[in-house]
Amino acid sequence: MMLTPEQYGDELYAKDEVLERVTRSIADSGLQDVSIAPGYGRLLTLLVKLAGARSVLEIGALGGYSGICLARGLPTQGGKLLSLELKEENAELARRNLQEAGFGHMADYRIAPALSSLEELVEEGERFDFFFIDADKENYPNYLEYAIKLANPGALIAGDNILLRGRTLNTDKNGPSVQAMRRFNETIARDDRLISTLLPAYDGLALAMVK
């Protein structure tokens, strides 16, 4: 059997029991599991740690899988993870899973449409060292602009699912989400405010540093 590069990489690592439990909890709750891929989850932990980030803003919590990956890179004392989530039940599941994983003390949630919460954060003068975008795809360009506004100098931005299971690459696909993702990717690649790259594994991940 020929493995994909992603399968090969994932098989090198022992099963992560904490994240396996999160995955089961998402299935038990009847939610569609659109959590970040395991390999990119490990990358988030590494990047948060390498960046020396103390404050992370996550747009889209779902069941807490990515939240745990992000929290693992934060300092135990003083690290802060703020997750924006539209649905109360998702935030409650994420909160429970982060608490069980030992990160409940550093995680907080805002339940509202993300654009409203982002505008509030701008008005409050908040700033963050790391951003993870993994929510409704049509608003990715808007989320990116808010991330740049809320960024400390040198902050990192990661955006998941930039390939939309191949639809971004297919010129015959031009729905609202596809067009929004193409704008997001083009901004990541070309905006003078950013230093960036796009990673093609799994469903694609955009990475950028705010100058």
Side-chain angles (χ1 to χ4, degrees):
M1 181 182 68
M2 184 77 167
L3 298 175
T4 66
E6 293 89 344
Q7 288 170 331
Y8 173 75
D10 288 337
E11 288 191 5
L12 290 175
Y13 290 84
K15 285 193 180 297
D16 189 316
E17 292 301 328
V18 171
L19 295 178
E20 291 273 319
R21 187 170 65 245
V22 173
T23 299
R24 289 194 297 272
S25 76
I26 292 171
D28 292 344
S29 297
L31 298 173
Q32 181 184 4
D33 190 358
V34 290
S35 301
I36 193 167
Y40 281 158
R42 292 188 289 270
L43 180 59
L44 290 183
T45 301
L46 180 63
L47 289 173
V48 172
K49 180 74 76 174
L50 283 172
R54 299 185 65 83
S55 56
V56 173
L57 180 64
E58 176 185 43
I59 304 174
L62 190 61
Y65 189 110
S66 57
I68 289 171
C69 296
L70 293 162
R72 284 174 169 174
L74 286 167
T76 305
Q77 300 298 322
K80 179 179 71 171
L81 169 68
L82 176 60
S83 293
L84 309 183
E85 176 54 51
L86 179 63
K87 298 180 178 179
E88 177 71 43
E89 59 269 28
N90 291 3
E92 280 302 317
L93 179 61
R95 184 182 286 112
R96 225 168 28 244
N97 282 329
L98 265 83
Q99 187 72 42
E100 290 180 9
F103 300 112
H105 64 287
M106 63 175 64
D108 196 12
Y109 297 85
R110 291 200 184 193
I111 317 300
L115 291 178
S116 299
S117 295
L118 288 163
E119 186 58 37
E120 288 175 0
L121 291 169
V122 170
E123 292 171 359
E124 293 164 12
E126 292 284 354
R127 291 292 181 271
F128 299 88
D129 303 318
F130 196 101
F131 301 83
F132 179 53
I133 302 171
D134 190 13
D136 58 301
K137 307 314 176 190
E138 290 183 35
N139 272 311
Y140 262 47
N142 297 322
Y143 296 152
L144 178 59
E145 285 301 320
Y146 272 107
I148 294 170
K149 285 182 185 178
L150 291 163
N152 284 320
L156 297 182
I157 301 170
D160 197 23
N161 305 120
I162 63 170
L163 301 182
L164 294 178
R165 301 187 182 277
R167 284 181 292 147
T168 306
L169 313 178
N170 187 343
T171 55
D172 293 331
K173 301 292 186 182
N174 290 290
S177 294
V178 173
Q179 293 186 51
M181 191 60 75
R182 287 177 184 149
R183 290 197 305 273
F184 173 85
N185 292 339
E186 288 162 7
T187 303
I188 287 282
R190 300 172 185 171
D191 197 295
D192 289 339
R193 296 170 294 177
L194 304 173
I195 302 168
S196 69
T197 193
L198 304 179
L199 303 182
Y202 302 102
D203 196 27
L205 189 75
L207 293 175
M209 175 182 284
V210 181
K211 293 180 181 178

